[in-house]
Amino acid sequence: MGGWHLYLLLLLMVSAVGPVTGAPVFLNLPSTMNVSESAAPGTVVYSFTVSCVPSNTTLDVSLTSISPSTSFFNPVNKYNCSADICNIQVSLSASAALDARVENLYALTFRAQCLPETTSIESQLFLYIIPSESLECGTIFAHLGLEEVQVPEDIDPGTEIYFTVLKRGSLLTDPLNVSTMKNFIPTQYTFANSSGPFTITQQGKVLAPTTGFSREQAGKVHSVLFPLQTFFLDIVVTDGRRSCHKFLTVKVLPVYHNKVNFTKSLVAVSVLENGGPLQNIIQVNASGENVRYQIIAPFTNDFTIEPESGIIKNTFNLNLQLNPDLAQTQLLVKAYNMLHPEDSATITVNITVQWRNLQGPSCEPAIFVCEIPETTSYGRSLITLSCQDAEHGNSSLVYSMEDLQSPQYSFRMDGPSLLVNTTLDYDSEVRAQFPYQASILVSDRRTPLKTTRVPVLVTVSRVNEYAPECSQQVFYVKENAPFGYALGNVNGTDRDYPFNNIEYSILWAGPFYIDKKGELYVLGPLNYEEQQSYNLAIMLKDLDNDVDPKKWKSNICNVTVNVQDVNDEPPECVQPFGKVLVCSRVARSQLIMQLECKDQDQRSDLSYSIVGGNINGRFRVDGDKLLPNTLSFDETHVLDPPIFELLVQVTDNRDTPRFSTTVTIIVSVISCSTAVTTTTTTTTTVSKKPIILHRTKEYWAPDPWFVVVLTLTGALLLSALGLLFWRFCWMKAPGEVSHPLLQNRGKGGERNYIMTEEPSKDKGKDSVDVLSL
């Protein structure tokens, strides 16, 4: 005996004996329910009633389990309850987010008990999650700052800064639905506020401005709710029938620019020895904000600097007799922004410690520091020393240069005057970045010889003497070159030091752009047929070649870009379809039709060939001419088919890729009568009118769409019959709970499917939709 027979027998026995004391009963709880995935949190899924027999018991109902486990459902809500009966509500929790693509079935198990009895019963409710066609972009509170993108103001033009991700896509974008839809409209992304500098692609990518952020855009205010340098974007997503909004804030972060700077690159000071510790020697000052100072070279314990004020002090008493090395000290002092340590500048400080009670000559200045341009001429006087000898007068003083010059022989003395002894051209690798150091020795010619040493430090400043230059250049590029294709380098030159330090820009860019290194790239599409050459005017501007930026020079460089032709156009024919009537006795040399075809691509010769419809090879092509071969015929009719549908393929002969066009020519062949040879005999010849026979052959040739519709209709009919048979078998066994999911188990994973049948929107058709779970 089957299981359902035993179940029926037990049910009859219970009915005969009567209800069990204290047994709960679920009155109107169905086995299955459908819930839309768009149901909001707090929605009541279903309400049912539970009662106890007899009425002197207390009813207890609870939701014991949910499969699969989830927090999307609240505990059961009891209302209008008495001692033996209670109404139960099942609702969605505040965190509910139903998604049929993630999980489309939930099994809820309820347990009821009539206290104080210990007997309890359980019942299940299967909830099917129905896919929704709604289109959801995300939370509506994103515009309050929950969706924010931060980008630097110097971001490269056209860089992707955000990709739009939908919370739930429309079924119109599902590939399983798109394949069966006629008027499919893809998802589109647009800006509701199109005044901003950003662009959005059809894939939902938000791109930075094509020209970058200007200073005005970096500080632009779009709303009083947002601070400076913030843009508010309203992205509208549509699928043809529905739309939703995605709110995005783009915050443009300012890029910090170096501001700390010394007005001089070198300072010098002289101090007498034995002045005691912590005496103020010199104070250095740098412009900028939050500036701090430190000595970075050399490592010394003899001097220190106050970080905030920049005052340099001696740590110990300066005694040249105990420490002769203190006579000349060169410190490298660094000033930096405390909040941005990378923003820094340096200055060289020369400290000369002089002897006390020195009886040698005294000179003014005691140390000579100057900065002169590199164009200073040979023999120019830089300074005339004022030296005095208190004991013997100034007539006995001798001026000379110390041999330790760097570079050698750069200066010479003419009495007390210091003269330039060589060229100071800065535009040389040997002389670049090197200061000139020397010492002037002033002696009094006495015994013992007493000498005063005047250190000389000359810094040569750069002078912008030459404008940038470039040779006439020609670049070649194919018309199908992709975006970002590198054409080459303009290779500008500048003879001023630092060499070739040039800034490039295009006065009229067109479909090209140039980077900071002079590399020329393709920016837009090229078309040889529209424009074959571009003349670009490139501005070359030298940088940092002079202390005064107003003296920086520029030049215009003319560059020619020639676009090379690429075979990208198929041949075009004036008459892609033609009809012609020929006689069955037409001569082989008789021209049937001459094709008029051309190719927009230059240097392209066209070739012609018959690729279809040439039954028995009755026709041929010679260049662009269609000629007949000998037709097969007898005295009364043509033996070949009366109509030839010739397909003539016209192909260009350029290198790959090759393109072709097909011309269709309908040739109708008619039977022509045999010519009669005349003789000298006088006879009366009765002319016969040729009889043309037309044979009509009828056959049924349905359109392809009709065959497809017929096939789909048959498949739907078989599916409906199978569904009815399955439904009939299921009704035969009401005690068995059928599994709502069809398991497709295979190696590597599982996929669940739901088979649903719904009416199609097309008149007279049915459709079956299979959703992947």
Side-chain angles (χ1 to χ4, degrees):
M1 182 180 293
W4 69 274
H5 298 85
L6 180 59
Y7 176 78
L8 181 60
L9 180 59
L10 292 175
L11 183 61
L12 293 174
M13 293 176 62
V14 171
S15 300
V17 175
V20 180
T21 303
V25 178
F26 291 86
L27 297 182
N28 55 347
L29 180 63
S31 59
T32 61
M33 280 290 297
N34 294 334
V35 180
S36 174
E37 67 177 357
S38 61
T43 301
V44 177
V45 176
Y46 191 73
S47 299
F48 60 93
T49 305
V50 182
S51 65
C52 279
V53 179
S55 60
N56 57 355
T57 58
T58 301
L59 179 61
D60 179 49
V61 182
S62 62
L63 177 59
T64 59
S65 65
I66 303 174
S67 179
S69 180
T70 181
S71 62
F72 291 171
F73 300 92
N74 291 319
V76 295
N77 180 30
K78 305 175 185 178
Y79 66 100
N80 297 333
C81 295
S82 60
D84 58 340
I85 189 169
C86 191
N87 295 318
I88 306 298
Q89 275 187 349
V90 180
S91 60
L92 297 179
S93 65
S95 63
L98 301 179
D99 193 341
R101 293 170 176 81
V102 178
E103 188 66 49
N104 71 334
L105 178 65
Y106 293 92
L108 280 65
T109 304
F110 301 92
R111 176 180 296 170
Q113 184 177 0
C114 296
L115 300 177
E117 297 294 333
T118 59
T119 303
S120 64
I121 64 171
E122 292 184 347
S123 183
Q124 283 188 318
L125 174 63
F126 292 94
L127 295 180
Y128 287 92
I129 309 304
I130 305 303
S132 174
E133 290 188 359
S134 61
L135 184 67
E136 294 188 24
C137 291
T139 173
I140 61 175
F141 303 103
H143 63 285
L144 297 180
L146 300 180
E147 195 81 19
E148 180 180 282
V149 176
Q150 296 182 351
V151 295
E153 66 177 359
D154 59 351
I155 190 172
D156 292 337
T159 303
E160 178 184 343
I161 62 174
Y162 182 76
F163 182 75
T164 307
V165 178
L166 303 181
K167 179 180 179 182
R168 178 183 291 112
S170 172
L171 291 180
L172 294 176
T173 61
D174 194 325
L176 295 177
N177 295 323
V178 170
S179 61
T180 60
M181 294 178 61
K182 284 188 175 180
N183 300 322
F184 168 66
I185 301 176
T187 303
Q188 296 182 352
Y189 299 83
T190 57
F191 286 136
N193 48 349
S194 57
S195 60
F198 303 92
T199 56
I200 188 168
T201 66
Q202 289 306 309
Q203 291 77 30
K205 298 179 180 179
V206 179
L207 307 180
T210 56
T211 57
F213 291 105
S214 64
R215 284 292 182 181
E216 292 77 14
Q217 290 174 337
K220 189 174 181 181
V221 181
H222 270 246
S223 174
V224 296
L225 298 178
F226 298 97
L228 292 176
Q229 299 179 332
T230 300
F231 293 86
F232 174 66
L233 304 182
D234 184 4
I235 302 175
V236 181
V237 185
T238 60
D239 61 0
R241 295 188 302 172
R242 299 171 178 82
S243 64
C244 62
H245 292 257
K246 187 83 172 181
F247 298 98
L248 176 68
T249 57
V250 180
K251 180 174 290 185
V252 183
L253 303 180
V255 178
Y256 184 83
H257 299 279
N258 293 345
K259 298 179 180 179
V260 176
N261 184 41
F262 285 105
T263 57
K264 297 181 180 180
S265 60
L266 184 145
V267 294
V269 64
S270 297
V271 61
L272 296 176
E273 63 172 340
N274 298 322
L278 298 178
Q279 60 176 326
N280 294 341
I281 296 178
I282 192 173
Q283 182 178 11
V284 293
N285 293 292
S287 60
E289 300 176 355
N290 304 311
V291 179
R292 296 294 183 269
Y293 303 89
Q294 68 176 124
I295 299 175
I296 59 176
F299 177 77
T300 178
N301 293 325
D302 299 318
F303 299 93
T304 184
I305 188 170
E306 294 181 355
E308 296 183 0
S309 63
I311 299 176
I312 299 177
K313 299 181 178 182
N314 58 309
T315 308
F316 308 100
N317 183 45
L318 302 178
N319 192 324
L320 294 179
Q321 185 175 3
L322 298 178
N323 190 1
D325 294 337
L326 293 176
Q328 186 71 33
T329 303
Q330 187 176 79
L331 302 179
L332 184 62
V333 178
K334 174 183 177 181
Y336 63 94
N337 189 320
M338 180 178 61
L339 302 180
H340 300 277
E342 67 278 3
D343 181 9
S344 62
T346 58
I347 186 173
T348 302
V349 179
N350 287 327
I351 301 176
T352 302
V353 180
Q354 298 179 347
W355 291 88
R356 287 186 179 272
N357 302 320
L358 183 64
Q359 298 300 316
S362 60
C363 297
E364 181 68 23
I367 181 172
F368 175 66
V369 178
C370 70
E371 183 175 356
I372 59 177
E374 62 175 325
T375 55
T376 302
S377 60
Y378 170 82
R380 178 183 173 182
S381 175
L382 300 182
I383 190 174
T384 299
L385 296 178
S386 176
C387 299
Q388 296 180 357
D389 188 349
E391 296 179 351
H392 305 288
N394 299 337
S395 59
S396 62
L397 298 180
V398 177
Y399 300 85
S400 63
M401 297 297 302
E402 194 175 31
D403 294 336
L404 300 178
Q405 292 191 49
S406 176
Q408 285 285 348
Y409 311 113
S410 301
F411 307 96
R412 62 185 176 88
M413 294 299 298
D414 183 8
S417 299
L418 177 66
L419 306 180
V420 177
N421 195 42
T422 185
T423 177
L424 302 179
D425 188 10
Y426 205 88
D427 302 328
S428 170
E429 289 287 357
V430 177
R431 300 180 184 275
Q433 298 181 346
F434 287 96
Y436 292 81
Q437 297 181 1
S439 294
I440 302 174
L441 300 179
V442 182
S443 304
D444 57 7
R445 298 182 184 181
R446 301 297 175 182
T447 304
L449 184 66
K450 293 181 175 57
T451 302
T452 297
R453 184 173 179 269
V454 179
V456 175
L457 182 62
V458 178
T459 302
V460 179
S461 61
R462 296 188 296 271
V463 176
N464 196 5
E465 301 175 78
Y466 310 102
E469 298 177 350
C470 75
S471 59
Q472 184 74 19
Q473 296 194 40
V474 179
F475 297 96
Y476 296 89
V477 60
K478 294 184 178 181
E479 64 176 337
N480 61 349
F483 173 80
Y485 177 81
L487 301 179
N489 199 291
V490 176
N491 292 326
T493 59
D494 188 6
R495 290 181 289 171
D496 292 308
Y497 188 86
F499 307 117
N500 305 328
N501 189 20
I502 301 174
E503 179 185 71
Y504 298 85
S505 61
I506 302 179
L507 297 183
W508 178 81
F512 305 95
Y513 76 97
I514 192 168
D515 62 8
K516 298 179 180 178
K517 298 181 179 179
E519 197 74 21
L520 192 62
Y521 296 91
V522 175
L523 180 62
L526 304 175
N527 193 330
Y528 178 84
E529 286 71 23
E530 294 180 359
Q531 187 169 353
Q532 302 175 3
S533 178
Y534 294 85
N535 294 321
L536 304 180
I538 298 180
M539 173 73 74
L540 279 65
K541 183 179 181 181
D542 54 18
L543 299 176
D544 200 23
N545 293 123
D546 199 294
V547 177
D548 186 3
K550 296 181 180 180
K551 296 181 180 180
W552 294 355
K553 299 183 178 181
S554 60
N555 198 359
I556 300 297
C557 180
N558 295 320
V559 173
T560 302
V561 179
N562 292 328
V563 181
Q564 295 177 331
D565 189 20
V566 175
N567 189 20
D568 59 350
E569 297 289 344
E572 296 180 357
C573 295
V574 177
Q575 188 176 2
F577 178 84
K579 292 183 179 182
V580 65
L581 183 67
V582 300
C583 180
S584 61
R585 294 179 178 273
V586 65
R588 286 175 52 87
S589 60
Q590 178 67 39
L591 175 64
I592 295 178
M593 178 179 284
Q594 185 169 4
L595 303 178
E596 298 181 13
C597 300
K598 62 180 181 179
D599 191 355
Q600 293 184 3
D601 296 310
Q602 297 187 4
R603 302 185 303 277
S604 178
D605 297 329
L606 303 181
S607 60
Y608 302 80
S609 62
I610 301 177
V611 296
N614 192 11
I615 302 174
N616 299 329
R618 299 307 184 188
F619 299 89
R620 71 183 189 278
V621 290
D622 183 7
D624 59 347
K625 300 176 181 178
L626 177 64
L627 301 173
N629 290 324
T630 303
L631 299 175
S632 177
F633 62 92
D634 59 12
E635 295 295 329
T636 60
H637 63 279
V638 179
L639 298 181
D640 288 325
I643 298 176
F644 290 81
E645 186 175 337
L646 302 180
L647 300 179
V648 180
Q649 187 179 61
V650 184
T651 307
D652 52 24
N653 63 350
R654 295 288 296 274
D655 295 336
T656 57
R658 294 181 177 178
F659 296 89
S660 62
T661 300
T662 302
V663 179
T664 303
I665 302 175
I666 306 299
V667 180
S668 300
V669 181
I670 63 174
S671 175
C672 298
S673 61
T674 305
V676 179
T677 305
T678 61
T679 62
T680 58
T681 305
T682 304
T683 59
T684 303
T685 303
V686 180
S687 60
K688 284 188 176 182
K689 184 178 181 180
I691 301 175
I692 301 175
L693 299 179
H694 297 275
R695 178 179 298 174
T696 302
K697 186 177 182 180
E698 297 182 356
Y699 62 94
W700 183 59
D703 293 334
W705 67 267
F706 183 78
V707 177
V708 174
V709 171
L710 186 61
T711 303
L712 292 177
T713 304
L716 292 175
L717 181 59
L718 292 177
S719 301
L721 292 176
L723 183 62
L724 290 176
F725 179 75
W726 174 81
R727 188 67 178 177
F728 177 75
C729 295
W730 182 79
M731 293 176 62
K732 284 289 187 177
E736 300 178 359
V737 178
S738 61
H739 297 282
L741 291 180
L742 301 179
Q743 301 292 333
N744 180 17
R745 303 180 182 271
K747 185 177 180 180
E750 295 185 357
R751 290 177 63 84
N752 298 330
Y753 296 87
I754 292 180
M755 183 74 71
T756 62
E757 182 174 351
E758 60 183 9
S760 174
K761 295 182 178 179
D762 295 336
K763 186 175 181 179
K765 297 182 182 179
D766 295 328
S767 62
V768 176
D769 185 32
V770 180
L771 290 182
S772 174
L773 303 180

